Amino acid sequence: MLEDRDMLDLLKTRRSIRSYKDKEIEAEQLEQILKAGLLAPSSRGRRPWEFITVIDKQKLKLLSGCREGSSYFLADAAAAVVIAADPAKCDVWVEDCSIAAIIMQLTAHSMGLGSCWMQVRERFTVNQEKVEDFVKRTLDIPENYHVECILAFGYPDEEKRAYEDKDLPYDKLHWEKF
């Protein structure tokens, strides 16, 4: 059983990793990450999300160019998971997709893998095209779906220090009133 301290340590040490080693992720690890996403809670159990896994290097390279300066790391990732949802299934699809995404990131981190979230919804390409339209066209995602984000996964090729208690913004905590 996961101890309370272990969970806090996992949260403190999980950082956005944008540099990856040239090493494939084992199929079992990728399956565990995806299974974690499937286990994510969702509003009224609707599970509006769909996960599109990309391991093809050409597609990763293509996706890495969708947002100037903020999607480059997808090119060197071992895998990416695009998280999309059908808004007709649930009015809080954005929240449901976000919950699934962080659970997948924490699962990857617990296995020694790095990850980074790339926002898609409400973002634009350098040509002012919606990034969502670019991703949907690239991966044949049906028109009625919306794309929340792309998660990059791989073996970290950078180290970042863990957060410490002194780094936390305790001034954001309020009790009984704002």
Side-chain angles (χ1 to χ4, degrees), residues 62-77:
L62 186 61
L63 290 170
S64 76
C66 69
R67 286 190 55 202
E68 185 177 33
S70 53
S71 57
Y72 68 91
F73 55 87
L74 290 169
D76 294 325

Side-chain angles (χ1 to χ4, degrees), residues 63-100:
L63 290 170
S64 76
C66 69
R67 286 190 55 202
E68 185 177 33
S70 53
S71 57
Y72 68 91
F73 55 87
L74 290 169
D76 294 325
V81 175
V82 176
I83 302 180
D86 180 354
K89 291 183 178 177
C90 185
D91 64 332
V92 292
W93 68 271
V94 171
E95 292 83 351
D96 288 346
C97 288
S98 299
I99 292 166

Side-chain angles (χ1 to χ4, degrees), residues 13-55:
T13 57
R14 196 223 61 85
R15 301 296 303 268
S16 293
I17 300 298
R18 292 177 180 86
S19 183
Y20 303 100
K21 293 179 181 174
D22 186 15
K23 181 179 178 184
E24 289 183 19
I25 297 174
E26 290 78 14
E28 297 80 22
Q29 288 179 304
L30 199 48
E31 287 172 19
Q32 291 298 310
I33 292 167
L34 294 167
K35 188 183 289 185
L38 293 174
L39 288 166
S42 65
S43 177
R44 299 182 307 269
R46 296 260 171 100
R47 297 177 173 156
W49 24 250
E50 303 283 341
F51 308 133
I52 302 96
T53 304
V54 179
I55 56 174

Side-chain angles (χ1 to χ4, degrees), residues 1-13:
M1 177 186 240
L2 189 63
E3 298 293 323
D4 289 343
R5 195 76 243 161
D6 292 336
M7 187 60 177
L8 284 178
D9 288 340
L10 187 69
L11 291 167
K12 286 179 179 179
T13 57

Side-chain angles (χ1 to χ4, degrees), residues 4 140 158:
D4 289 343
D140 297 324
E158 65 178 318

